[in-house]
Amino acid sequence: MKNLIAPSLLSANFAELKKDCEMLNRSEADWFHIDIMDGMFVPNISFGFPVMKAIKRYAQKPLDVHLMIEAPDRYIKDFVDAGADIICVHAEACPHLHRSIQNIKSFGIKAGVALNPHTPIQIVENVLEDLDMVLIMSVNPGFGGQKFIPNTYKKIQQLREVAKNTNPELIIEIDGGVDSENAKSLYDSGANVLVAGSAVFGSDNPEKTIKEIKQLV
Ligand code: DX5
Ligand code: ZN
């Protein structure tokens, strides 16, 4: 899989969401990254179904939904109905992770598992062949604009190594503190998809920033 970029709408201008969706449609972005926070699993609340459905009305690219919520199984169907093309649940929020993955896949969409910075990649080893994607958090989830945690590189390399035999097609996504400084090293370490929130929407020309990050490869 070639290297992709998934700008996070968490850093978009919520009063002008349509505009930002249209910008992403025009840009070289591959996916729309949608961050859902419940104020329990993470100490912040982002947005829910009405906002996601509004994004879906304008988005012409896949919606990559990152659920930072407790007991996410309760809501998988609702996120599918709201237009999710990929759903990632957190390993730390799922005591029956295999079942949660099967639940997502039963809707015919891609399933991913997200790992907090302290969570070892071994936690997904026994479900790796069932997965389309692993999202490695490179900041503690909950907020945009945080500083990238360098230990992420080691985790990408370890995961790529383990996946070689069990799931060579595994997509590795990195989320948090990604910018044009670290993007190339992340792709080089074995990541396929980079999420970027503040680096894209905080720049003077988001469309150009997306292009620049993609050209680094
Ligand atoms: C953090 C979210 C990220 C966030 C990334 O909990 O999962 O997707 O939007 O934002 P930046 O790129 O600003 O770190
Ligand atoms: Zn995210």
Side-chain angles (χ1 to χ4, degrees):
M1 182 190 216
K2 67 178 177 57
N3 298 318
L4 311 184
I5 179 162
S8 165
L9 275 296
L10 187 64
S11 297
N13 178 354
F14 285 87
E16 303 265 17
L17 258 185
K18 183 182 174 196
K19 240 183 170 170
D20 281 344
C21 289
E22 287 168 347
M23 180 281 289
L24 291 181
N25 288 337
R26 274 195 316 271
S27 79
E28 291 183 27
D30 298 281
W31 299 345
F32 284 42
H33 186 80
I34 310 291
D35 287 303
I36 307 290
M37 305 179 182
D38 65 353
M40 293 293 285
F41 180 70
V42 289
N44 194 10
I45 296 176
S46 56
F47 53 81
F49 302 115
V51 174
M52 195 180 138
K53 284 180 182 163
I55 293 170
K56 185 69 180 179
R57 265 213 309 279
Y58 298 104
Q60 291 165 359
K61 299 177 182 180
L63 298 194
D64 167 34
V65 179
H66 177 193
L67 297 184
M68 286 162 275
I69 65 176
E70 282 185 0
D73 294 291
R74 297 171 294 161
Y75 294 112
I76 300 301
K77 185 180 182 306
D78 299 285
F79 282 108
V80 172
D81 291 344
D85 296 282
I86 305 157
I87 293 182
C88 257
V89 292
H90 265 264
E92 304 84 3
C94 298
H96 305 287
L97 190 55
H98 181 269
R99 182 182 291 152
S100 303
I101 295 164
Q102 301 311 322
N103 182 12
I104 299 171
K105 287 172 74 171
S106 73
F107 294 99
I109 64 165
K110 283 193 166 69
V113 170
L115 307 179
N116 278 338
H118 77 281
T119 304
I121 61 115
Q122 283 76 14
I123 202 166
V124 286
E125 218 174 315
N126 289 307
V127 288
L128 217 48
E129 54 198 315
D130 301 298
L131 283 176
D132 296 291
M133 180 161 99
V134 173
L135 182 165
I136 299 179
M137 287 304 303
S138 38
V139 298
N140 286 294
F143 304 93
Q146 302 180 81
K147 201 169 162 297
F148 178 83
I149 299 172
N151 185 56
T152 307
Y153 292 112
K154 195 178 84 193
K155 288 176 79 172
I156 300 171
Q157 288 156 5
Q158 284 174 348
L159 180 60
R160 191 48 84 200
E161 189 56 37
V162 176
K164 242 184 214 160
N165 299 323
T166 36
N167 186 352
E169 301 297 309
L170 181 78
I171 302 167
I172 301 182
E173 180 173 51
I174 307 303
D175 186 4
V178 172
D179 56 24
S180 39
E181 296 291 300
N182 54 23
K184 187 173 180 342
S185 333
L186 289 166
Y187 286 131
D188 288 347
S189 303
N192 308 104
V193 186
L194 301 186
V195 175
S198 46
V200 166
F201 289 98
S203 78
D204 293 338
N205 186 340
E207 222 177 308
K208 196 166 148 235
T209 305
I210 293 168
K211 195 184 174 85
E212 276 166 10
I213 293 179
K214 289 208 68 166
Q215 274 171 355
L216 288 170
V217 189

